[in-house]
Amino acid sequence: MTAPPSHRTLPRFSATFSPQTIAEIQRAAATGIYDIRGGGAKRVLPHFDDLLFLGASISRYPLEGYREKCSTDVTLGTRFAKKPIKLKIPVTIAGMSFGALSAPAKEALGRGASAVGTSTTTGDGGMTPEERGHSSILVYQYLPSRYGMNPDDLRKADAIEIVIGQGAKPGGGGMLLGQKISARVARMRTLPEGIDQRSACRHPDWTGPDDLEIKIEELRELTDWEKPIYVKVGASRPYYDTALAAKSGADVIVLDGMQGGTAATQEVFIENVGLPILAAIRPAVQALQDLGLHRKLQLIASGGIRTGADVAKALALGADAVAIGTAALIALGDNDPQLQAEYEKLGTVAGAYDDWQEGLDPAGITTQDPTLAARLDPAKAGRRLANYLSVLTLEAQTIARACGKSHLHNLEPEDLVALTIEAAAMAGVPLAGTNWIPGITK
Ligand SMILES: Cc1cc2nc3c(=O)[nH]c(=O)nc-3n(C[C@H](O)[C@H](O)[C@H](O)COP(=O)(O)O)c2cc1C
């Protein structure tokens, strides 16, 4: 049957009620259950892609790529800690819990990071011997849930990270579904096996910044003032949160934007709460500058870091280092196209797999199933991560040299322009081809 003349030949989809929106309404109507998934915000957001570097030419002098040095080291915890952490590269591995990740994945992260001289971080649910054993520098997370919190492990760590929030869910707690609460995970968290678990959204023993100050001091006493104390916040009010963390005595502030991954949270939360990291770094740096603390305590930025260009841009905006989660998992083997047939069995495709909460990851990374976890070879996956971290560093150095910088930390906002007015306003750099920084210059 031919369509009547008034009928369009191509179906026209609504931007508001897109096919994905319609499918989600239908799914919600059929199940009555909200969607949970892993990963970070998937919508298009202002990001580092909206910034470009101005390479050197007549007014600036570049460095020769293969002969002239461009250093990449960073020391974290120079403010108060007796034993600050020295990293060879400014890219660290973000906190990802054992429970969310398999034990071989945690081991692989440790192997890969240690091979290139950087740190890994524990996560909700405590420290595993695998990650301590294979991480030459390990940061121990102190979380609202206190799952797996153990003073002995605290002393075994090289730094402590107090988690106030995450970029994917600032103000929200964690989720670990029963499928992933294996006997080992349950034992470490002192929780029943196989039962859905929620992690608290706020620490049980404080109601505000004064309590944070007391907590930092307690942790310093416990660790003999040796270990740097980090404070991690999800980007939402970066100026005030950074200022309060700094005033409370943090050595390092970790600022995590909304593209940042999570193991599992409500989709509506991931996509609608928080700030992209592009919009958060400059206010955080401003807070530190206003307190005379920029570069005296260190700022780590995270949330959607993928390339050496992202690393260089975050540093140019004033961060001292970055942290990566999702990209590290991809480097280990997450969303590998070779597993396409298995992703299809889970109703998805390589490149879009995000149902990490189900514990069915064919790559053996976001699972507690012993058979699936055994698929990940930690030595091989660790080498892949080390390769990737090296590439990130080489790429960042390439850009820094082109801007005439002999250290990645010499990159500065002056090296950047923005492609959109929005990015110019958020990053506080001029719109490309103009001297205009919206909100700052006329
Ligand atoms: C699988 C997974 C598990 C995570 N678990 C934790 C956690 O236990 N504690 C925490 O503070 N953040 C956790 N995060 C967030 C990361 O620490 C980090 O903030 C985020 O991954 C950075 O953004 P990116 O993934 O875009 O690199 C997790 C992220 C992922 C992907």
Side-chain angles (χ1 to χ4, degrees):
M1 206 177 83
T2 51
S6 64
H7 203 89
R8 288 181 197 92
T9 46
L10 278 180
R12 186 167 171 203
F13 293 105
S14 162
T16 308
F17 287 90
S18 66
Q20 261 179 339
T21 305
I22 291 172
E24 176 48 24
I25 293 172
Q26 288 162 342
R27 190 205 61 77
T31 62
I33 295 171
Y34 55 63
D35 190 21
I36 294 178
R37 67 168 174 86
K42 292 191 172 188
R43 60 149 94 189
V44 178
L45 288 165
H47 200 26
F48 294 121
D49 291 336
D50 300 318
L51 302 182
L52 296 175
F53 279 100
L54 300 174
S57 56
I58 296 180
S59 64
R60 302 285 187 282
Y61 189 72
L63 298 185
E64 177 54 60
Y66 293 94
R67 281 191 287 112
E68 289 174 306
K69 201 168 166 189
C70 175
S71 306
T72 62
D73 59 296
V74 58
T75 305
L76 302 173
T78 50
R79 189 180 182 199
F80 293 126
K82 282 196 242 166
K83 290 188 178 168
I85 281 178
K86 292 183 172 41
L87 304 181
K88 289 192 183 143
I89 63 170
V91 186
T92 65
I93 304 299
M96 291 181 277
S97 65
F98 170 66
L101 299 187
S102 64
K106 291 297 279 178
E107 177 180 334
L109 292 173
R111 284 174 179 265
S114 304
V116 294
T118 193
S119 60
T120 60
T121 314
T122 61
D124 215 353
M127 181 191 284
T128 66
E130 288 92 336
E131 67 185 336
R132 178 61 283 187
H134 289 94
S135 301
S136 51
I137 304 168
L138 180 62
V139 182
Y140 185 69
Q141 281 199 334
Y142 186 84
L143 295 111
S145 72
R146 303 284 197 276
Y147 290 142
M149 162 50 202
N150 174 336
D152 292 332
D153 287 343
L154 203 92
R155 292 191 194 94
K156 280 187 212 151
D158 302 289
I160 318 294
E161 180 170 303
I162 301 175
V163 178
I164 306 290
Q166 268 176 252
K169 47 184 182 192
M175 287 181 171
L176 193 64
L177 300 194
Q179 299 92 303
K180 293 178 84 172
I181 316 263
S182 65
R184 184 176 177 193
V185 173
R187 212 169 38 248
M188 281 178 66
R189 298 186 185 215
T190 44
L191 284 168
E193 208 177 315
I195 307 230
D196 291 354
Q197 166 256 291
R198 246 193 67 78
S199 297
C201 66
R202 55 171 197 254
H203 287 260
D205 50 358
W206 81 56
T207 52
D210 293 347
D211 297 323
L212 177 59
E213 192 173 343
I214 295 167
K215 184 56 64 184
I216 290 178
E217 198 147 323
E218 262 175 41
L219 291 168
R220 284 202 194 283
E221 293 293 333
L222 252 172
T223 54
D224 201 19
W225 286 75
E226 286 184 345
K227 301 176 203 272
I229 311 283
Y230 300 15
V231 173
K232 174 175 179 175
V233 291
S236 57
R237 294 180 182 83
Y239 182 89
Y240 294 109
D241 288 342
T242 303
L244 289 169
K247 283 193 164 224
S248 303
D251 290 303
V252 176
I253 296 171
V254 182
L255 184 64
D256 191 29
M258 76 177 283
Q259 288 104 329
T262 171
T265 291
Q266 298 94 331
E267 151 96 8
V268 70
F269 200 153
I270 299 176
E271 294 289 352
N272 293 287
V273 182
L275 293 184
I277 192 64
L278 183 73
I281 298 178
R282 286 310 290 278
V285 170
Q286 189 63 53
L288 295 177
Q289 286 169 342
D290 290 350
L291 292 168
L293 289 173
H294 188 223
R295 305 294 187 206
K296 293 200 173 116
L297 65 78
Q298 285 74 41
L299 179 68
I300 300 180
S302 60
I305 305 266
R306 308 146 298 175
T307 63
D310 291 346
V311 176
K313 288 170 188 175
L315 298 193
L317 293 178
D320 297 273
V322 302
I324 58 167
T326 306
L329 301 186
I330 295 169
L332 297 186
D334 171 62
N335 271 291
D336 182 348
Q338 290 185 19
L339 299 167
Q340 179 65 14
E342 300 200 43
Y343 288 124
E344 280 173 19
K345 277 190 221 148
L346 299 174
T348 184
V349 291
Y353 176 59
D354 58 16
D355 284 324
W356 300 339
Q357 76 285 353
E358 288 177 352
L360 300 173
D361 184 357
I365 296 171
T366 55
T367 182
Q368 294 304 319
D369 178 301
T371 316
L372 291 173
R375 289 182 175 188
L376 189 80
D377 174 348
K380 206 167 131 199
R383 279 196 296 278
R384 289 172 53 90
L385 176 62
N387 283 342
Y388 171 64
L389 289 168
S390 301
V391 170
L392 285 185
T393 310
L394 289 166
E395 286 178 344
Q397 282 175 301
T398 301
I399 288 172
R401 284 199 186 92
C403 295
K405 309 294 160 122
S406 59
H407 197 295
L408 290 183
H409 287 149
N410 296 342
L411 287 164
E412 54 194 321
E414 201 263 340
D415 294 313
L416 291 167
V417 292
L419 286 168
T420 65
I421 296 173
E422 289 81 358
M426 290 178 193
V429 301
L431 183 66
T434 76
N435 292 322
W436 182 40
I437 306 178
I440 297 182
T441 61
K442 285 207 174 139

